Amino acid sequence: MEDNKVAVDENRRVGQLASVKSQVEGDVHAEIAAQAEVATPAEDKRIQQVAEQFRGKAIDEVVGTEREVTVGRSMARISQVFDYVFCIIYGLLVIRLMLALMAARSSAGFVQFIYAITDPLYAPFRGIVGSPSVNGYTLALPIIIALVVYLLLHAGINGFLRVIAQRKTEI
């Protein structure tokens, strides 16, 4: 009987030990969790510093992006103005070319008007090459050269504006 009593007592002690061990583990885990939730003053200060750095970076990025958008809009508007001006130049030079091809009378008012407007645009190209004529109809090759040069100039200006307006990203 005494043997049974010792075994029962031993089992009771093992059960109590397991219970106490489980309770201590629970208390330790709860204490660790409580300490992890509460930051020290040094940790709070570091958290504030990091938050301020992120806030400053975000503000700088927004300001920079807004500036780039404004520059992009301005360059787009300038590009539109150049497009409009060059389209007018192209149109006037094509009209002059068509008048030359159709052997329009130079005494007509409209022909004189077009020649007067396009002379400053056409003057640098006059005489570069000859203009072949057949029965009074003239193919004004200098006008075609002027159109090509103005087209290249137009493309160059638009390309330059795109380079200026291109957004630069930092990684």
Side-chain angles (χ1 to χ4, degrees):
M1 199 48 110
E2 184 92 18
D3 225 8
N4 267 346
K5 223 176 182 187
V6 171
V8 169
D9 194 37
E10 184 70 24
N11 284 336
R12 184 181 54 80
R13 284 186 193 163
V14 168
Q16 285 178 343
L17 179 63
S19 172
V20 168
K21 183 179 172 184
S22 175
Q23 185 178 359
V24 168
E25 281 181 352
D27 290 345
V28 167
H29 287 304
E31 189 176 328
I32 290 171
Q35 287 179 358
E37 288 178 4
V38 178
T40 64
E43 289 172 335
D44 280 340
K45 185 177 179 182
R46 179 68 182 141
I47 290 170
Q48 287 296 333
Q49 288 174 344
V50 170
E52 287 175 19
Q53 287 174 347
F54 280 130
R55 190 176 306 118
K57 279 184 176 181
I59 290 170
D60 291 343
E61 188 174 319
V62 167
V63 168
T65 302
E66 184 64 30
R67 188 176 312 120
E68 289 170 1
V69 166
T70 301
V71 168
R73 284 182 183 153
S74 299
M75 292 300 121
R77 182 63 67 198
I78 291 170
S79 177
Q80 288 173 341
V81 169
F82 275 108
D83 288 346
Y84 182 74
V85 168
F86 276 100
C87 282
I88 290 173
I89 290 171
Y90 299 145
L92 290 171
L93 288 175
V94 166
I95 291 172
R96 183 173 179 142
L97 178 65
M98 297 305 292
L99 291 173
L101 283 173
M102 294 185 299
R105 287 187 320 208
S106 58
S107 62
F110 180 72
V111 174
Q112 289 176 352
F113 172 73
I114 294 295
Y115 280 12
I117 290 176
T118 58
D119 269 342
L121 302 170
Y122 176 63
F125 305 99
R126 183 175 287 134
I128 289 180
V129 294
S131 298
S133 253
V134 176
N135 295 334
Y137 300 99
T138 305
L139 177 60
L141 290 177
I143 294 176
I144 295 172
I145 293 171
L147 283 167
V148 170
V149 169
Y150 286 123
L151 178 72
L152 293 173
L153 179 65
H154 182 197
I157 290 172
N158 275 339
F160 179 70
L161 291 175
R162 274 191 217 101
V163 167
I164 290 174
Q166 184 178 7
R167 181 177 178 181
K168 296 161 190 76
T169 57
E170 293 180 14
I171 297 174

